[in-house]
Structure formats: C-alpha cells, structure tokens
C-alpha cells in the first residue's frame, strides 16, 4: 500500500471537533474512511497522544474554527503537532518542510460518529525507526 493511499473513485466526508468544541473541522477522504488504512503507530508521540491517523490532502481539509490551536514541535521539526490549547485534544499534524507532501494527518478520534471498531487499522512500527526519543 503506497503512502498516502492512492485515491479511488470513492470518498467519504467527515466533520469533527476537539473535546471542548473550540476546534472544528471537516475533510474528505479517499478511499472512504472505513476502507482507508488508518495508522496506529507505536512511536512516542502517537502513543502519548492516542493518535489514530488518516491523511487527507490539504485542499480537502478545512479547519472551520481553530483559534485555540497550539503547535508542538520536537525532534527534527519536520511537522507541527496541533492540539487545542483549551482542552488539550490532539487534532492534526501539519507539514512544515518545503516540498513535503501536501497532506495533513487528522486524528480520527475527534470525528463525529466515529466507530473505532470499523476502522481498518494499519499497525505502524514507528518506535523502531531512528533513535528512541528521550526527554
Ligand atoms: Zn478544545
């Protein structure tokens, strides 16, 4: 499976919000969510934040309300991890580098009506990539 997955003729649209509702967004995803390989990774940040990630194209992701979003950068500063500064929900990972793929990671745990059991989880062994992150 290529990364990100190759879009198919089918897509699904979703909306979500953080726990307090200050961050609101919607996006369209292809293949549709329950056919999309949702990344469940064992690296330090994914574990701590409880990320379950899909990767819509930036053009297909709209942050309708995001005034409370805060950025967290670490290690190589290749991406910013965005969370709600009011309630702490982990929301997005946005690329920072020039030439990075025009996709963003979205934590599907924030979606309305998400059925975690229906996700096609793609286990990623991020923990074994590179040196362990230590603080
Ligand atoms: Zn919030």
């Amino acid at each position: 499976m290529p990364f990100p997955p190759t879009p198919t003729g089918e897509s699904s649209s979703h909306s979500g919000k953080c726990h307090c509702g200050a961050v609101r967004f919607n996006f369209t995803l292809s293949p549709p969510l329950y056919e999309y390989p949702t990344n469940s990774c064992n690296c330090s940040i994914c574990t701590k934040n409880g990320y379950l990630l899909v990767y819509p194209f930036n053009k297909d992701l709209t942050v309708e309300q995001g005034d409370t979003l805060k950025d967290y950068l670490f290690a190589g500063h290749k991406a910013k991890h965005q969370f709600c500064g009011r309630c702490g929900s982990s929301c997005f990972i946005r690329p920072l580098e020039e030439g990075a793929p025009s996709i963003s990671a979205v934590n599907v745990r924030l979606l309305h009506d998400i059925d975690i059991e229906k996700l096609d989880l793609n286990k990623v062994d991020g923990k074994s990539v590179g040196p362990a992150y230590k603080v």
Side-chain angles (χ1 to χ4, degrees):
M1 179 72 75
F3 179 83
T6 306
T8 62
E10 300 187 341
S11 63
S12 60
S13 295
H14 305 277
S15 58
K17 61 180 193 272
C18 67
H19 192 264
C20 74
V23 177
R24 292 168 188 266
F25 60 93
N26 54 62
F27 66 91
T28 298
L29 194 68
S30 181
L33 180 62
Y34 294 121
E35 295 164 29
Y36 193 101
T38 299
N39 277 357
S40 174
C41 176
N42 64 2
C43 82
S44 63
I45 190 79
C46 288
T47 299
K48 296 285 187 189
N49 287 354
Y51 281 144
L52 290 177
L53 299 173
V54 297
Y55 300 82
F57 291 104
N58 293 332
K59 67 179 174 59
D60 297 328
L61 169 66
T62 303
V63 179
E64 293 173 334
Q65 204 174 290
D67 292 348
T68 61
L69 281 172
K70 302 280 187 202
D71 296 345
Y72 174 61
L73 289 85
F74 74 107
H77 289 195
K78 289 178 179 163
K80 57 184 179 184
H81 294 255
Q82 293 191 306
F83 62 96
C84 175
R86 186 188 291 167
C87 70
S89 295
S90 299
C91 303
F92 313 113
I93 308 169
R94 316 295 297 260
L96 283 176
E97 291 185 323
E98 288 286 319
S102 54
I103 53 174
S104 291
V106 175
N107 188 3
V108 298
R109 290 186 184 275
L110 303 183
L111 302 185
H112 299 303
D113 302 324
I114 181 78
D115 185 344
I116 300 286
E117 300 299 318
K118 281 194 193 170
L119 293 171
D120 180 13
L121 292 182
N122 177 42
K123 301 266 169 100
V124 177
D125 185 18
K127 190 175 182 178
S128 65
V129 177
Y133 184 70
K134 292 199 166 71
V135 289

